Amino acid sequence: QVQLVESGGGLVQAGGSLKLSCAASGRTFSSYVVGWFRQAPGKEREFAAVITRSGGTTYYADSVKGRFTISRDNAKNTVYLQMNSLKPEDTAVYYCAGSNTLWPSRSGRDYNYWGQGTQVTVSS
């Protein structure tokens, strides 16, 4: 079992940056694929980024590619999401999630553990 806690959200102007953190407790954090998902008001949850267990491979949604960077520090049991050039349409609650699948899935259905979410608001 692993518990995930997100932090780092807030209010930022368009064009600004934020860095989200996802801190994990529990054993064997490095054995989990970790993804970031987001849900805007009135919309379904969507995939944003995912990182493999070793951190060697990452994938991004087209909407954030080139602006967001996912990384992890297994020694600190933490995954990060650096968000640059933020746009108003990035406004959402951001969730990190852990999966014990072998592949870096983009589907929320493959994730077993979820954090409580952190709000990101981008003003125009």
Side-chain angles (χ1 to χ4, degrees):
Q1 185 105 13
V2 64
Q3 292 80 42
L4 303 174
V5 178
E6 304 95 336
S7 62
L11 174 64
V12 65
Q13 288 188 331
S17 297
L18 283 174
K19 186 173 184 177
L20 306 184
S21 298
C22 172
S25 60
R27 300 181 300 163
T28 64
F29 171 71
S30 60
S31 67
Y32 291 91
V33 166
V34 177
W36 283 96
F37 294 80
R38 64 186 186 181
Q39 186 166 20
K43 295 187 177 181
E44 293 189 354
R45 183 181 62 199
E46 65 175 9
F47 164 79
V50 62
I51 190 165
T52 53
R53 293 174 291 177
S54 68
T57 301
T58 58
Y59 294 107
Y60 300 92
D62 289 343
S63 58
V64 308
K65 195 175 299 180
R67 301 187 298 121
F68 290 11
T69 302
I70 188 171
S71 61
R72 69 190 298 163
D73 185 339
N74 285 339
K76 295 183 178 180
N77 281 5
T78 303
V79 172
Y80 305 97
L81 186 67
Q82 177 68 48
M83 306 186 296
N84 299 328
S85 302
L86 283 162
K87 305 175 181 180
E89 51 264 43
D90 294 318
T91 295
V93 177
Y94 283 71
Y95 300 89
C96 67
S99 171
N100 53 18
T101 59
L102 297 178
W103 61 91
S105 174
R106 299 175 185 234
S107 172
R109 291 190 296 270
D110 291 326
Y111 288 78
N112 313 94
Y113 308 104
W114 292 83
Q116 82 290 348
T118 186
Q119 177 71 48
V120 171
T121 303
V122 184
S123 64
S124 57

